[in-house]
Every structure is written in structure tokens, then in C-alpha cells.
Amino acid sequence: NAGVTQTPKFRILKIGQSMTLQCTQDMNHNYMYWYRQDPGMGLKLIYYSVGAGITDKGEVPNGYNVSRSTTEDFPLRLELAAPSQTSVYFCASSDDTQATDTEAFFGQGTRLTVV
Amino acid sequence: AQSVTQLDSHVSVSEGTPVLLRCNYSSSYSPSLFWYVQHPNKGLQLLLKYTSAATLVKGINGFEAEFKKSETSFHLTKPSAHMSDAAEYFCVVSGGGELMNRDDKIIFGKGTRLHILP
């Protein structure tokens, strides 16, 4: 039971570099989310997707891009890394936020440092 | 639009005493509400969830929460704190509403760090 898998677990980037944070889930969930967690700020939604081919901006989308070509995968792309993007990133998935008993399942997080 | 407010950024209690972590929400619809816990350097674990069934919800590790629509609150409680309860707790709101107006996002509060004093 893999659930939600994020890679890598840790990464250090130089300013201006680019990278992709990978996220895959094996629960056939339609909904997927990317959050960043900064100290004292909770989790802020970056982007989310309600199904393959559909993505929407969350609260803090600037500097990021996403794609959802398959149900399983929801990669997050940083094109020009900036120190402000130093954070812990969590990917999550859920079946349907309209369902009465849904919950979000989270990956273990990716700790990204931009120097 | 939905939002959630955790009223305390830090709460300290002595071991064996009750825990109260406060959460208020705002939603135009009937939301689902959750509490998640995050232990240091760990991922997020679901403690409990409210989804319009019973208003008093029991979760894991002795935690429970009561949904009060009139107060738009979903406070988390535990009768007796244990050292292992020291962690960060997040109140979360999601979903709800009619199909044409639904809000698909899952929104987190800023978190409450619970400290347990020996």
C-alpha cells in the first residue's frame, strides 16, 4: 500500500536552477494537491487538480507550474528557484471533496532549500 | 470561500491535564472538517473528521472534537494529555455545497503547537 509517494525527500538548489518535485498516488484518486509548509504558516495550497487534464491555482501559485496528464501523477515544477521557495512541500490526494467520508492522504514531504 | 482559524499558535498543558485546541471555520456551505497531527519531522496523520453525521467525533489516541454550527467551531479536546501528544495540530476545512457552487479546495489552518509539561 504505497499511498502517496513524493520524490525526492530532500533537495538543495541554487538560485535560478529548476527542478520537478514528483508525486504519484496509487489509490485512483481524482483530486490531488500541492502544499508548501513554512514555520508558523500552516500549509498553503499551491495548485490542485480535480482530475487528469485539469489544474487550478491555489493560494500561492507564483513561481510554480503543474501538470496532470494521468490520474496517478501530479508533478510540481519550479522554473527559476528563489530563496523564498525554501520550504517543505507536501503532495496530497483525495477521492472527492463532495463525498461524505473523504479525507486527504499525504506524502512524506520534500524539504527544499534554495541557496 | 472557505477559511479556517486556529485561535492559538501555541498551547502548553501539564501531563495528565485536559487539552483544548480551538478552531473556527468559515464556509458558505456545509463543510467537512478534519484535524491532522504532525509530529516533528514527520508527515501528516489524520486524527478525526466530521462529515455531517454525529456532531461529536471521536478520533485516534483519545482525541475528540465537537462540531458546533451555531458557533462555527470545531475544537479538539482530550481529557488527559500524554507526553507523546506533543506535536503540531492542524484544523482543516474542505468540500461541501451544491455541485454548481462547490469548493474543491482543502484549506489548512496555521497550526497549533502543543507542548506537554512534565
Side-chain angles (χ1 to χ4, degrees), chain A residues 24-96:
Chain A
T24 187
Q25 52 93 7
D26 61 359
M27 296 171 282
N28 202 33
H29 286 167
N30 285 324
Y31 290 65
M32 295 188 75
Y33 313 83
W34 272 107
Y35 293 88
R36 58 177 289 172
Q37 183 181 27
D38 301 306
M41 298 299 291
L43 275 72
K44 295 284 191 182
L45 183 64
I46 305 172
Y47 270 96
Y48 69 107
S49 169
V50 301
I54 306 169
T55 62
D56 279 299
K57 295 179 180 178
E59 302 170 80
V60 289
N62 292 342
Y64 306 95
N65 279 302
V66 293
S67 59
R68 187 89 183 274
S69 56
T70 66
T71 299
E72 295 77 19
D73 300 306
F74 191 42
L76 177 72
R77 179 86 179 158
L78 283 71
E79 290 294 349
L80 290 170
S84 61
Q85 293 178 306
T86 294
S87 189
V88 180
Y89 292 83
F90 286 98
C91 178
S93 73
S94 67
D95 196 6
D96 184 342

Coordinates of all heavy atoms in Angstrom, one line a residue, chain A residues 24-96:
Chain A
T24 N 3.2 10.8 -6.9 CA 2.3 9.8 -7.6 C 1.5 9.1 -6.5 O 1.9 8.9 -5.4 CB 3.2 8.8 -8.3 OG1 2.3 7.9 -9.1 CG2 4.1 8.0 -7.4
Q25 N 0.3 8.7 -6.9 CA -0.6 8.0 -5.9 C -1.2 6.8 -6.6 O -1.5 6.9 -7.8 CB -1.7 9.0 -5.4 CG -2.5 9.8 -6.4 CD -3.8 9.1 -6.8 OE1 -4.2 8.1 -6.3 NE2 -4.4 9.7 -7.8
D26 N -1.4 5.8 -5.8 CA -1.9 4.5 -6.4 C -3.3 4.2 -5.9 O -3.7 3.0 -5.9 CB -1.0 3.4 -6.1 CG -0.8 3.1 -4.6 OD1 -1.4 3.9 -3.8 OD2 0.0 2.2 -4.3
M27 N -4.1 5.2 -5.5 CA -5.4 5.0 -4.9 C -6.5 5.4 -5.9 O -7.7 5.4 -5.5 CB -5.6 5.8 -3.6 CG -4.6 5.3 -2.6 SD -4.5 6.4 -1.1 CE -3.5 7.8 -1.7
N28 N -6.1 5.7 -7.1 CA -7.1 6.1 -8.1 C -7.9 7.3 -7.7 O -9.1 7.5 -8.1 CB -8.0 5.0 -8.5 CG -8.6 5.2 -9.9 OD1 -8.0 5.7 -10.8 ND2 -9.8 4.7 -10.1
H29 N -7.3 8.2 -7.0 CA -8.0 9.5 -6.5 C -8.0 10.5 -7.7 O -7.0 10.7 -8.4 CB -7.3 10.1 -5.3 CG -7.5 9.3 -4.1 ND1 -6.7 9.6 -2.9 CD2 -8.4 8.4 -3.7 CE1 -7.2 8.8 -1.9 NE2 -8.2 8.1 -2.4
N30 N -9.2 11.1 -7.8 CA -9.3 12.2 -8.8 C -8.6 13.5 -8.3 O -8.0 14.2 -9.1 CB -10.7 12.5 -9.1 CG -11.4 11.4 -9.9 OD1 -10.7 10.9 -10.8 ND2 -12.6 11.1 -9.7
Y31 N -8.7 13.8 -7.0 CA -8.2 15.1 -6.5 C -6.7 14.9 -6.1 O -6.4 14.0 -5.3 CB -9.0 15.6 -5.4 CG -10.4 16.0 -5.8 CD1 -11.4 15.1 -6.3 CD2 -10.8 17.3 -5.6 CE1 -12.6 15.5 -6.6 CE2 -12.1 17.7 -6.0 CZ -13.0 16.8 -6.5 OH -14.2 17.2 -6.9
M32 N -5.9 15.9 -6.5 CA -4.5 16.0 -6.0 C -4.2 17.4 -5.7 O -4.7 18.3 -6.3 CB -3.6 15.3 -7.0 CG -3.8 13.8 -7.2 SD -2.5 13.0 -8.2 CE -1.2 13.0 -7.0
Y33 N -3.2 17.6 -4.7 CA -2.9 18.9 -4.2 C -1.4 19.0 -4.0 O -0.8 18.1 -3.6 CB -3.6 19.2 -2.9 CG -5.1 18.8 -2.8 CD1 -5.5 17.5 -2.6 CD2 -6.1 19.8 -3.0 CE1 -6.8 17.1 -2.6 CE2 -7.4 19.4 -2.9 CZ -7.8 18.1 -2.7 OH -9.1 17.8 -2.7
W34 N -0.9 20.2 -4.1 CA 0.4 20.6 -3.7 C 0.3 21.7 -2.6 O -0.3 22.7 -2.9 CB 1.3 21.0 -4.8 CG 2.0 19.9 -5.5 CD1 1.7 19.4 -6.8 CD2 3.1 19.1 -5.0 NE1 2.6 18.4 -7.1 CE2 3.4 18.2 -6.0 CE3 3.9 19.2 -3.9 CZ2 4.5 17.3 -5.9 CZ3 4.9 18.3 -3.7 CH2 5.2 17.3 -4.7
Y35 N 1.0 21.5 -1.5 CA 1.1 22.5 -0.5 C 2.5 22.8 -0.2 O 3.4 21.9 -0.3 CB 0.4 22.0 0.8 CG -1.0 21.7 0.8 CD1 -1.5 20.5 0.4 CD2 -1.9 22.7 1.2 CE1 -2.9 20.3 0.3 CE2 -3.3 22.5 1.1 CZ -3.8 21.3 0.7 OH -5.1 21.1 0.7
R36 N 2.8 24.0 0.4 CA 4.0 24.3 1.0 C 3.8 24.6 2.4 O 2.8 25.2 2.8 CB 4.8 25.4 0.3 CG 4.1 26.7 0.2 CD 5.0 27.8 -0.5 NE 6.0 28.2 0.4 CZ 7.1 29.0 0.0 NH1 7.1 29.4 -1.3 NH2 8.0 29.3 0.8
Q37 N 4.8 24.2 3.3 CA 4.6 24.5 4.7 C 5.8 25.3 5.2 O 6.9 24.8 5.1 CB 4.6 23.1 5.5 CG 4.4 23.3 7.0 CD 4.3 22.0 7.7 OE1 4.9 21.0 7.3 NE2 3.6 22.0 8.9
D38 N 5.5 26.5 5.7 CA 6.5 27.3 6.3 C 6.2 27.5 7.7 O 5.1 27.4 8.2 CB 6.5 28.7 5.6 CG 6.7 28.6 4.1 OD1 7.7 28.0 3.7 OD2 5.9 29.0 3.3
P39 N 7.3 27.7 8.6 CA 7.1 27.7 10.0 C 6.0 28.8 10.4 O 6.0 29.9 10.0 CB 8.4 28.1 10.5 CG 9.4 27.6 9.5 CD 8.7 27.8 8.2
G40 N 5.0 28.3 11.2 CA 4.0 29.2 11.7 C 3.0 29.6 10.7 O 2.1 30.5 11.0
M41 N 3.0 29.0 9.5 CA 2.1 29.4 8.5 C 1.1 28.3 8.1 O 0.3 28.5 7.1 CB 2.8 29.9 7.2 CG 3.7 31.1 7.5 SD 2.8 32.5 8.0 CE 1.9 32.9 6.5
G42 N 1.2 27.2 8.7 CA 0.3 26.1 8.3 C 0.7 25.6 6.9 O 1.9 25.7 6.5
L43 N -0.2 25.0 6.2 CA 0.0 24.6 4.8 C -0.7 25.5 3.9 O -1.9 25.7 4.0 CB -0.4 23.1 4.6 CG 0.5 22.0 5.0 CD1 0.7 22.0 6.5 CD2 0.1 20.7 4.5
K44 N 0.0 26.0 2.9 CA -0.6 26.9 1.9 C -0.7 26.1 0.6 O 0.2 25.5 0.1 CB 0.3 28.1 1.6 CG 0.4 29.0 2.8 CD -0.8 29.9 3.0 CE -0.6 30.9 4.1 NZ -1.9 31.7 4.3
L45 N -1.9 26.2 0.0 CA -2.2 25.5 -1.2 C -1.5 26.2 -2.4 O -1.8 27.4 -2.7 CB -3.7 25.4 -1.4 CG -4.2 24.6 -2.6 CD1 -3.8 23.1 -2.5 CD2 -5.7 24.7 -2.8
I46 N -0.7 25.4 -3.2 CA -0.1 26.0 -4.3 C -0.9 25.8 -5.6 O -1.3 26.8 -6.3 CB 1.3 25.3 -4.5 CG1 2.2 25.4 -3.3 CG2 2.1 26.0 -5.7 CD1 3.5 24.6 -3.3
Y47 N -1.2 24.5 -5.9 CA -2.0 24.2 -7.0 C -2.8 22.9 -6.6 O -2.4 22.2 -5.8 CB -1.1 23.8 -8.3 CG -0.8 24.9 -9.2 CD1 0.4 25.6 -9.1 CD2 -1.7 25.3 -10.2 CE1 0.7 26.7 -9.9 CE2 -1.4 26.4 -11.1 CZ -0.2 27.0 -10.9 OH 0.2 28.1 -11.8
Y48 N -3.9 22.7 -7.4 CA -4.6 21.5 -7.2 C -5.2 21.0 -8.5 O -5.3 21.8 -9.5 CB -5.7 21.6 -6.1 CG -6.9 22.5 -6.4 CD1 -8.1 22.0 -6.7 CD2 -6.7 23.9 -6.4 CE1 -9.2 22.8 -7.0 CE2 -7.8 24.7 -6.7 CZ -9.0 24.2 -7.0 OH -10.1 25.0 -7.3
S49 N -5.7 19.8 -8.5 CA -6.3 19.2 -9.7 C -7.5 18.3 -9.3 O -7.4 17.6 -8.4 CB -5.2 18.4 -10.4 OG -5.8 17.6 -11.4
V50 N -8.5 18.5 -10.1 CA -9.7 17.7 -9.8 C -9.8 16.5 -10.7 O -10.8 15.7 -10.6 CB -11.0 18.5 -9.8 CG1 -10.9 19.6 -8.8 CG2 -11.2 19.1 -11.2
G51 N -8.8 16.3 -11.6 CA -8.8 15.2 -12.5 C -7.8 15.3 -13.6 O -7.2 16.4 -13.7
A52 N -7.5 14.3 -14.3 CA -6.5 14.3 -15.3 C -6.9 15.4 -16.3 O -8.0 15.5 -16.8 CB -6.4 13.0 -16.0
G53 N -5.9 16.2 -16.7 CA -6.1 17.3 -17.6 C -6.6 18.6 -17.1 O -6.7 19.6 -17.8
I54 N -6.9 18.6 -15.8 CA -7.5 19.8 -15.1 C -6.6 20.3 -14.0 O -6.4 19.5 -13.0 CB -8.9 19.5 -14.6 CG1 -9.8 19.0 -15.7 CG2 -9.5 20.8 -14.0 CD1 -11.1 18.4 -15.2
T55 N -6.2 21.5 -14.0 CA -5.4 22.0 -12.8 C -5.9 23.4 -12.5 O -6.4 24.1 -13.4 CB -3.9 22.1 -13.1 OG1 -3.7 23.0 -14.2 CG2 -3.3 20.7 -13.4
D56 N -5.8 23.8 -11.3 CA -6.2 25.2 -10.8 C -5.2 25.7 -9.8 O -4.6 25.0 -9.1 CB -7.6 25.1 -10.2 CG -8.7 25.1 -11.2 OD1 -8.8 26.0 -12.0 OD2 -9.5 24.1 -11.2
K57 N -5.2 27.1 -9.8 CA -4.3 27.7 -8.8 C -4.9 27.7 -7.5 O -6.1 27.8 -7.3 CB -4.0 29.2 -9.3 CG -3.3 29.3 -10.6 CD -3.2 30.8 -10.9 CE -2.4 30.9 -12.3 NZ -2.3 32.3 -12.7
G58 N -4.0 27.6 -6.5 CA -4.4 27.7 -5.1 C -4.1 29.1 -4.6 O -4.2 30.1 -5.3
E59 N -3.6 29.2 -3.3 CA -3.4 30.5 -2.7 C -2.0 31.1 -3.1 O -1.9 32.3 -3.2 CB -3.3 30.3 -1.2 CG -4.6 29.7 -0.6 CD -4.4 29.4 0.9 OE1 -4.4 30.3 1.7 OE2 -4.1 28.2 1.2
V60 N -1.0 30.2 -3.4 CA 0.3 30.8 -3.6 C 1.0 30.1 -4.9 O 2.0 29.4 -4.8 CB 1.2 30.5 -2.4 CG1 0.8 31.5 -1.2 CG2 1.2 29.1 -1.9
P61 N 0.4 30.3 -6.1 CA 0.9 29.6 -7.2 C 2.1 30.2 -7.9 O 2.8 29.6 -8.7 CB -0.3 29.7 -8.2 CG -1.0 31.0 -7.8 CD -0.8 31.2 -6.3
N62 N 2.4 31.5 -7.6 CA 3.5 32.2 -8.3 C 4.8 31.5 -8.2 O 5.3 31.2 -7.1 CB 3.6 33.6 -7.9 CG 2.4 34.4 -8.3 OD1 1.6 34.0 -9.1 ND2 2.2 35.6 -7.6
G63 N 5.5 31.2 -9.3 CA 6.8 30.6 -9.3 C 6.7 29.1 -9.5 O 7.8 28.4 -9.5
Y64 N 5.5 28.6 -9.6 CA 5.3 27.1 -9.8 C 4.5 26.8 -11.0 O 3.7 27.7 -11.4 CB 4.6 26.6 -8.6 CG 5.3 26.9 -7.2 CD1 4.9 28.0 -6.5 CD2 6.3 26.1 -6.7 CE1 5.5 28.3 -5.3 CE2 6.9 26.4 -5.5 CZ 6.5 27.5 -4.8 OH 7.1 27.7 -3.6
N65 N 4.6 25.6 -11.5 CA 3.7 25.1 -12.5 C 3.4 23.6 -12.2 O 4.2 22.9 -11.6 CB 4.4 25.2 -13.9 CG 4.2 26.6 -14.5 OD1 3.1 27.1 -14.6 ND2 5.3 27.3 -14.8
V66 N 2.3 23.2 -12.7 CA 1.9 21.8 -12.5 C 1.3 21.3 -13.8 O 1.0 22.0 -14.7 CB 0.9 21.6 -11.4 CG1 1.5 21.9 -10.1 CG2 -0.4 22.4 -11.7
S67 N 1.2 20.0 -13.9 CA 0.6 19.3 -15.0 C -0.1 18.0 -14.4 O 0.3 17.5 -13.4 CB 1.5 18.9 -16.1 OG 2.5 18.1 -15.6
R68 N -1.1 17.6 -15.1 CA -1.8 16.4 -14.7 C -2.2 15.6 -15.9 O -3.4 15.6 -16.3 CB -3.1 16.7 -13.9 CG -3.8 15.5 -13.2 CD -3.2 15.2 -11.9 NE -3.9 14.0 -11.3 CZ -5.0 14.0 -10.6 NH1 -5.7 15.1 -10.5 NH2 -5.5 12.9 -10.1
S69 N -1.2 14.9 -16.5 CA -1.5 14.1 -17.7 C -2.1 12.8 -17.4 O -2.8 12.2 -18.3 CB -0.2 14.0 -18.5 OG 0.8 13.4 -17.7
T70 N -1.9 12.3 -16.2 CA -2.5 11.0 -15.8 C -3.2 11.2 -14.4 O -2.9 12.1 -13.7 CB -1.5 9.9 -15.7 OG1 -0.6 10.2 -14.6 CG2 -0.7 9.7 -16.9
T71 N -4.0 10.2 -14.0 CA -4.7 10.3 -12.7 C -3.6 10.1 -11.6 O -3.7 10.7 -10.6 CB -5.7 9.2 -12.6 OG1 -6.7 9.4 -13.6 CG2 -6.4 9.1 -11.2
E72 N -2.6 9.3 -11.9 CA -1.7 8.9 -10.8 C -0.7 10.0 -10.5 O -0.2 10.1 -9.4 CB -0.9 7.7 -11.2 CG -1.7 6.4 -11.4 CD -2.5 6.4 -12.7 OE1 -2.2 7.1 -13.6 OE2 -3.5 5.6 -12.7
D73 N -0.3 10.8 -11.5 CA 0.9 11.7 -11.3 C 0.5 13.2 -11.3 O -0.3 13.6 -12.1 CB 1.9 11.4 -12.4 CG 2.4 10.0 -12.4 OD1 2.9 9.6 -11.3 OD2 2.3 9.4 -13.5
F74 N 1.2 13.9 -10.4 CA 0.9 15.4 -10.3 C 2.2 16.1 -10.0 O 2.5 16.5 -8.9 CB -0.1 15.6 -9.3 CG -0.7 17.0 -9.2 CD1 -1.0 17.7 -10.4 CD2 -0.9 17.6 -8.0 CE1 -1.5 19.0 -10.3 CE2 -1.5 18.9 -7.9 CZ -1.8 19.6 -9.1
P75 N 3.1 16.2 -11.0 CA 4.4 16.9 -10.7 C 4.3 18.4 -10.5 O 3.5 19.0 -11.2 CB 5.2 16.5 -12.0 CG 4.2 16.3 -13.0 CD 3.0 15.7 -12.3
L76 N 5.2 18.9 -9.7 CA 5.3 20.3 -9.4 C 6.6 20.8 -9.9 O 7.6 20.3 -9.6 CB 5.2 20.6 -7.9 CG 5.3 22.1 -7.5 CD1 4.1 22.9 -7.9 CD2 5.5 22.2 -6.0
R77 N 6.6 21.9 -10.8 CA 7.8 22.4 -11.4 C 8.1 23.7 -10.9 O 7.3 24.6 -10.8 CB 7.5 22.5 -12.9 CG 8.6 23.0 -13.8 CD 9.6 21.9 -14.2 NE 10.7 22.5 -15.0 CZ 11.8 21.9 -15.1 NH1 12.1 20.7 -14.5 NH2 12.8 22.4 -15.9
L78 N 9.4 23.9 -10.5 CA 10.0 25.2 -10.2 C 10.9 25.6 -11.3 O 11.9 24.9 -11.6 CB 10.8 25.1 -8.9 CG 10.0 25.1 -7.5 CD1 9.3 23.8 -7.3 CD2 11.0 25.4 -6.4
E79 N 10.6 26.7 -12.0 CA 11.4 27.0 -13.2 C 12.7 27.8 -12.8 O 13.8 27.5 -13.3 CB 10.6 27.8 -14.1 CG 9.5 27.0 -14.8 CD 10.0 26.0 -15.8 OE1 11.2 26.0 -16.1 OE2 9.2 25.1 -16.2
L80 N 12.6 28.8 -12.0 CA 13.7 29.6 -11.6 C 13.7 29.7 -10.0 O 13.0 30.6 -9.5 CB 13.6 31.0 -12.2 CG 13.7 31.2 -13.7 CD1 13.3 32.6 -14.1 CD2 15.2 30.9 -14.0
A81 N 14.4 28.8 -9.4 CA 14.3 28.7 -7.9 C 14.8 30.0 -7.3 O 15.8 30.7 -7.7 CB 15.1 27.6 -7.4
A82 N 14.0 30.4 -6.2 CA 14.3 31.6 -5.4 C 14.4 31.2 -4.0 O 13.7 30.3 -3.5 CB 13.3 32.7 -5.7
P83 N 15.2 32.0 -3.2 CA 15.2 31.6 -1.7 C 13.9 31.6 -1.0 O 13.7 30.8 -0.1 CB 16.1 32.8 -1.2 CG 17.0 33.2 -2.3 CD 16.1 33.1 -3.5
S84 N 12.9 32.4 -1.5 CA 11.6 32.4 -0.9 C 10.9 31.0 -1.1 O 9.8 30.8 -0.5 CB 10.7 33.5 -1.5 OG 10.6 33.3 -2.9
Q85 N 11.4 30.2 -2.0 CA 10.8 28.9 -2.2 C 11.4 27.8 -1.3 O 11.0 26.6 -1.4 CB 10.9 28.5 -3.7 CG 10.1 29.4 -4.6 CD 10.2 29.1 -6.1 OE1 11.3 29.0 -6.6 NE2 9.1 28.9 -6.7
T86 N 12.3 28.2 -0.4 CA 12.8 27.3 0.6 C 11.6 26.9 1.5 O 11.0 27.8 2.1 CB 13.9 27.9 1.4 OG1 15.0 28.1 0.5 CG2 14.3 27.0 2.6
S87 N 11.3 25.6 1.6 CA 10.1 25.2 2.3 C 10.0 23.7 2.3 O 10.8 23.0 1.7 CB 8.8 25.8 1.6 OG 7.7 25.6 2.4
V88 N 9.0 23.2 3.0 CA 8.7 21.8 2.9 C 7.4 21.6 2.1 O 6.4 22.3 2.3 CB 8.5 21.2 4.3 CG1 8.1 19.7 4.2 CG2 9.7 21.4 5.2
Y89 N 7.5 20.8 1.1 CA 6.4 20.6 0.1 C 5.7 19.3 0.4 O 6.3 18.3 0.5 CB 6.9 20.7 -1.3 CG 7.4 22.1 -1.7 CD1 8.7 22.5 -1.3 CD2 6.6 23.0 -2.3 CE1 9.2 23.8 -1.6 CE2 7.0 24.3 -2.7 CZ 8.3 24.6 -2.3 OH 8.8 25.9 -2.6
F90 N 4.4 19.4 0.4 CA 3.6 18.2 0.6 C 2.6 18.0 -0.6 O 1.9 18.9 -1.0 CB 2.7 18.2 1.9 CG 3.5 18.0 3.1 CD1 4.0 19.1 3.9 CD2 3.8 16.8 3.6 CE1 4.7 19.0 5.0 CE2 4.6 16.6 4.7 CZ 5.0 17.7 5.5
C91 N 2.6 16.8 -1.0 CA 1.6 16.4 -2.1 C 0.5 15.6 -1.3 O 0.8 14.9 -0.4 CB 2.2 15.6 -3.1 SG 1.1 15.0 -4.4
A92 N -0.7 15.8 -1.8 CA -1.9 15.0 -1.2 C -2.8 14.6 -2.3 O -2.9 15.2 -3.4 CB -2.6 15.9 -0.1
S93 N -3.6 13.6 -1.9 CA -4.7 13.2 -2.8 C -5.9 12.9 -2.0 O -5.9 12.5 -0.9 CB -4.3 12.0 -3.7 OG -4.3 10.8 -2.9
S94 N -7.1 13.0 -2.7 CA -8.4 12.6 -2.0 C -9.3 12.1 -3.1 O -9.1 12.4 -4.3 CB -9.0 13.8 -1.2 OG -9.4 14.8 -2.1
D95 N -10.3 11.4 -2.7 CA -11.2 10.8 -3.6 C -12.1 11.8 -4.3 O -12.2 12.0 -5.5 CB -12.0 9.7 -3.0 CG -12.7 8.8 -4.0 OD1 -12.4 8.9 -5.2 OD2 -13.4 7.9 -3.6
D96 N -12.8 12.6 -3.4 CA -13.8 13.6 -3.9 C -14.2 14.4 -2.7 O -14.7 13.9 -1.7 CB -15.0 12.9 -4.5 CG -16.0 13.9 -5.1 OD1 -15.9 15.1 -4.8 OD2 -16.8 13.5 -5.9

